[in-house]
Amino acid sequence: MIIKRPSDIPSSEITPEAIYNARRDFMRGAMSVAALGVGVAAAPGILAAPGQVTEAEVKGPDWLKQQIAEASSNKEVIPDALTPYEHITGYNNFYEYGYEKTDPAAKAHVLTTNPWTVEIAGEVGKPGTFALEDLLKGIALEERVYRLRCVEAWSMVVPWVGFSLADLIKRAEPTSKAKYVAFTTLERPSEMPGQKSRFSTIDWPYREGLRMDEAMHPLTTLAVGLYGKVLPNQNGAPLRLVVPWKYGFKYIKSIVKIEFTEKQPKTTWSMLAPDEYGFYANVNPSVSHPRWSQAEERRLPSGLLRPNIIPTQLFNGYAEQVAHLYKDMDLRKFY
């Protein structure tokens, strides 16, 4: 059996199959199959022209900029070097804006993020729809440096600015019936062209979820910024989830609803391809994706001459903090 390194995986095996097929149909006639292979197969860690995002271009209300400026540093430090700002902001999966990694940086500037409201619903004592400013009142933001491991076998190290999701959960006062936390992304086709594309196979809006103990874990973060700046639109402004021991597709972006449920919520990728993307999505180098190995990853930035391939760590290197959450669970079954 031949195990493919991330650098050897063709484009059809890096992008989720349903999305790849839709993109292939769209691009057929625009370029040859050979050109597609060259242009995309190299993409997992190679940024030929990363989107350049300056601080002046990142929109955000003054109150949020001030709150981010006052953020403290997280006490936990990891030895990994930070991924440069231009790579974090120029290389993204955000299918609301297209299938290419550079589409979000090129198109997400049209998204209106101020004002922004978030609905708190379900099994809680304090439901309601809240302005983001009110939601963040009294919240002390922190800079939290976490590894981000994509299911496509590339990775980054991101200095997020945010706060523990647990702080918000406590404010909502979940009832004893709340076993899970479900998240929903904004659905606004007028500003998110991917949502109205006839090639899309996703049932919008994007949905994700966590078990309650995962949501309450101190590492689980709601991010509003990165690199000391307001979160750029292409990175999920103004509010996104960060769960550093899980694959990146769990990091739902542009959140508009947080719902507390008794039953496990449906999530976008597990609905679209349940044999490939499970509910838990914990980083596990010993459990391969059906179409590629997860034993290694390409750490950005990288290139053809320096692919920067590194071993993938169980739970993305956070096993000491989170392994107890999955004690006695079959991690191959609950992937």
Side-chain angles (χ1 to χ4, degrees):
M1 178 180 179
I2 298 175
I3 301 296
K4 295 182 179 180
R5 294 162 59 91
S7 55
D8 298 327
I9 300 172
S11 60
S12 59
E13 295 186 5
I14 290 292
T15 304
E17 187 173 16
I19 294 296
Y20 170 74
N21 289 334
R23 181 176 67 188
R24 181 184 58 189
D25 293 341
F26 174 75
M27 298 182 74
R28 184 181 291 138
M31 58 179 67
S32 67
V33 173
L36 178 61
V38 171
V40 182
I46 299 169
L47 298 182
Q52 299 295 319
V53 182
T54 67
E55 185 174 2
E57 292 173 322
V58 178
K59 300 177 182 178
D62 290 340
W63 66 265
L64 182 55
K65 292 179 180 179
Q66 181 62 35
Q67 200 164 344
I68 288 173
E70 296 171 354
S72 62
S73 295
N74 187 17
K75 294 180 181 179
E76 183 176 347
V77 178
I78 63 174
D80 309 52
L82 298 181
T83 301
Y85 183 80
E86 63 268 22
H87 291 264
I88 296 172
T89 59
Y91 191 84
N92 309 104
N93 282 327
F94 201 171
Y95 293 121
E96 284 83 348
Y97 294 100
Y99 300 144
E100 302 301 328
K101 297 293 189 289
T102 53
D103 281 342
K107 301 176 183 179
H109 63 278
V110 300
L111 179 63
T112 303
T113 60
N114 183 34
W116 192 270
T117 59
V118 178
E119 180 185 359
I120 307 295
E123 300 293 343
V124 290
K126 293 184 176 179
T129 299
F130 304 91
L132 183 61
E133 183 175 8
D134 293 332
L135 210 63
L136 267 61
K137 278 182 179 177
I139 293 287
L141 299 182
E142 293 180 328
E143 182 179 75
R144 298 180 167 207
V145 178
Y146 290 151
R147 303 177 191 93
L148 186 161
R149 178 31 162 102
C150 182
V151 73
E152 297 171 345
W154 54 267
S155 62
M156 298 179 175
V157 179
V158 184
W160 304 104
V161 179
F163 60 98
S164 290
L165 173 59
D167 293 343
L168 183 60
I169 291 176
K170 292 172 185 176
R171 286 186 175 187
E173 297 181 2
T175 72
S176 59
K177 291 184 177 180
K179 308 300 182 184
Y180 296 87
V181 185
F183 306 86
T184 305
T185 291
L186 176 72
E187 184 173 14
R188 190 182 291 164
S190 61
E191 295 182 353
M192 293 177 154
Q195 292 180 339
K196 59 184 178 183
S197 169
R198 64 189 181 92
F199 298 102
S200 176
T201 57
I202 295 175
D203 179 17
W204 305 108
Y206 195 94
R207 304 171 181 88
E208 259 307 335
L210 297 172
R211 207 170 60 192
M212 181 62 77
D213 58 347
E214 296 176 318
M216 290 294 293
H217 193 279
L219 291 179
T220 305
T221 300
L222 286 176
V224 295
L226 62 83
Y227 260 112
K229 303 175 177 67
V230 172
L231 197 65
N233 286 4
Q234 63 266 34
N235 292 95
L239 187 69
R240 74 173 287 170
L241 183 67
V242 176
V243 196
W245 69 93
K246 295 181 179 288
Y247 290 121
F249 67 86
K250 297 292 288 188
Y251 294 34
I252 186 169
K253 305 176 180 76
S254 302
I255 297 170
V256 294
K257 185 177 181 180
I258 300 174
E259 184 176 8
F260 296 79
T261 66
E262 186 173 7
K263 296 182 179 179
Q264 180 175 302
K266 293 182 178 180
T267 59
T268 291
W269 284 111
S270 59
M271 288 190 292
L272 188 62
D275 59 328
E276 298 186 359
Y277 308 102
F279 175 81
Y280 286 95
N282 290 322
V283 176
N284 191 339
S286 66
V287 177
S288 295
H289 185 280
R291 292 180 279 126
W292 60 82
S293 169
Q294 296 287 19
E296 297 178 319
E297 64 200 64
R298 186 195 298 268
R299 174 64 56 81
L300 301 186
S302 67
L304 285 172
L305 298 180
R306 293 184 178 181
N308 204 13
I309 302 298
I310 62 175
T312 290
Q313 302 178 70
L314 180 63
F315 296 115
N316 204 23
Y318 299 97
E320 184 177 344
Q321 295 97 322
V322 304
H324 67 278
L325 299 177
Y326 311 102
K327 184 181 179 181
D328 300 327
M329 286 181 63
D330 183 345
L331 298 182
R332 291 186 175 274
K333 179 180 179 181
F334 299 100
Y335 56 91

